[in-house]
Amino acid sequence: MRLRNVTGSRDVIAASPYVIHEPELLKGKWKEHFGNDNPVRIEIGMGKGRFIMALAKENPNINYVGIEKYSTVLLRGLEKMAADPLPNLCFIRMDAEDIVDIFDKGEVDRIYLNFSDPWPKDRHAKRRLPSHQFLERYDIILQADGQIEFKTDNKDLFTFAEEEVAESKWELKAITYDLHNDPIMSVGNIMTEYEEKFSSMGNPIYKYIIKR
Ligand code: SAM
């Protein structure tokens, strides 16, 4: 039986053991939650979860938290997790605007942003996940040597993201304008649902890795 047929997506999420229902209670306590001292890595805007589930499966000694704003989308990740539960992965349904209420200073080791919504209107720029407003939030929760990895096929969004980095204390550690043909950065690349769709249409994939 597919979970989304059982009842409304919010009800399924409320009953799911894979979702953290009061994540603010875990602020500063994520390692206790996972029961180990392993690093905590998060994906913001995980969509249906293919990327973070593959990472969690490949790296049992790293803890992962997938964050998604919409319950109807998160539901698809829960279906996959129910079929193949992973002890080092959990999910939060929330708007990442409030991320600093969930993770303590330096509690996160790495942040993944994949095919983030472009919000093309200027007045919505602060909603873009690689915007300077979000970089300031990431600066708080990310440990000193932590990094952010961002990929997209949207040229305008990527140009915007590069400009935000140039005007900040963040530094580019690596960048490519054609990830799938980059001999170094393509190594170990895990495709997201959107990445598969847009690269199959011939779109190049842009990616940066930034640190402070
Ligand atoms: N990362 C997935 C992929 O590459 O296939 C999904 C990409 S989809 C274009 C962007 C996702 O980010 C959507 O599921 C959206 O709901 C989520 N999202 C956008 N803004 C968000 C926010 N502020 N907090 C949490 N999730 C967000």
Side-chain angles (χ1 to χ4, degrees):
M1 181 163 43
R2 291 171 76 82
L3 284 175
R4 68 175 172 282
N5 292 335
V6 176
T7 177
S9 55
R10 281 194 178 252
D11 295 335
V12 175
I13 284 166
S16 173
Y18 310 121
V19 178
I20 306 297
H21 302 291
E22 293 185 291
E24 54 289 335
L25 299 182
L26 290 184
K27 183 172 177 174
K29 298 181 183 148
W30 281 94
K31 290 193 175 171
E32 277 174 50
H33 168 75
F34 283 108
N36 58 50
D37 206 29
N38 297 337
V40 176
R41 299 185 175 173
I42 68 175
E43 183 187 8
I44 301 179
M46 58 167 261
K48 297 175 191 167
R50 179 203 288 181
F51 175 85
I52 198 159
M53 291 198 69
L55 269 185
K57 205 163 186 173
E58 269 181 20
N59 302 287
N61 295 328
I62 297 174
N63 301 317
Y64 293 93
V65 181
I67 296 170
E68 170 53 48
K69 186 158 62 169
Y70 292 112
S71 32
T72 48
V73 183
L74 178 55
L75 203 53
R76 304 297 298 274
L78 297 186
E79 287 178 346
K80 289 184 204 141
M81 186 81 152
D84 186 12
L86 297 164
N88 58 330
L89 172 63
C90 63
F91 304 115
I92 305 174
R93 195 207 58 75
M94 66 175 288
D95 189 322
E97 257 182 33
D98 301 321
I99 196 87
V100 297
D101 299 336
I102 307 304
F103 297 99
D104 217 346
K105 197 170 170 1
E107 200 169 17
V108 173
D109 168 73
R110 188 171 297 181
I111 298 174
Y112 298 99
L113 309 173
N114 293 318
F115 295 78
S116 308
D117 293 331
W119 291 107
K121 292 183 180 154
D122 283 350
R123 70 173 190 278
H124 291 148
K126 65 173 189 242
R127 296 185 192 172
R128 298 172 192 154
L129 294 179
S131 67
H132 68 267
Q133 290 89 346
F134 271 98
L135 289 180
E136 282 160 22
R137 297 176 180 115
Y138 307 149
D139 186 33
I140 296 169
I141 64 170
L142 202 59
Q143 68 186 48
D145 63 349
Q147 66 185 41
I148 302 172
E149 300 194 11
F150 168 55
K151 58 182 173 175
T152 182
D153 70 317
N154 187 306
K155 180 118 184 58
D156 289 344
L157 181 64
F158 196 70
T159 302
F160 166 83
E162 284 183 276
E163 287 166 2
E164 294 291 80
V165 170
E167 289 166 17
S168 72
K169 65 177 178 184
W170 295 84
E171 286 182 6
L172 279 177
K173 188 180 160 218
I175 189 163
T176 176
Y177 299 95
D178 189 359
L179 175 62
H180 294 178
N181 290 305
D182 186 297
I184 296 170
M185 290 183 75
S186 64
V187 176
N189 182 53
I190 294 173
M191 287 226 256
T192 76
E193 281 94 350
Y194 271 66
E195 184 170 357
E196 188 160 288
K197 180 174 168 195
F198 290 116
S199 62
S200 72
M201 291 162 58
N203 296 4
I205 307 301
Y206 313 107
K207 176 170 179 175
Y208 76 38
I209 300 175
I210 58 172
K211 298 187 96 163
R212 286 87 123 209

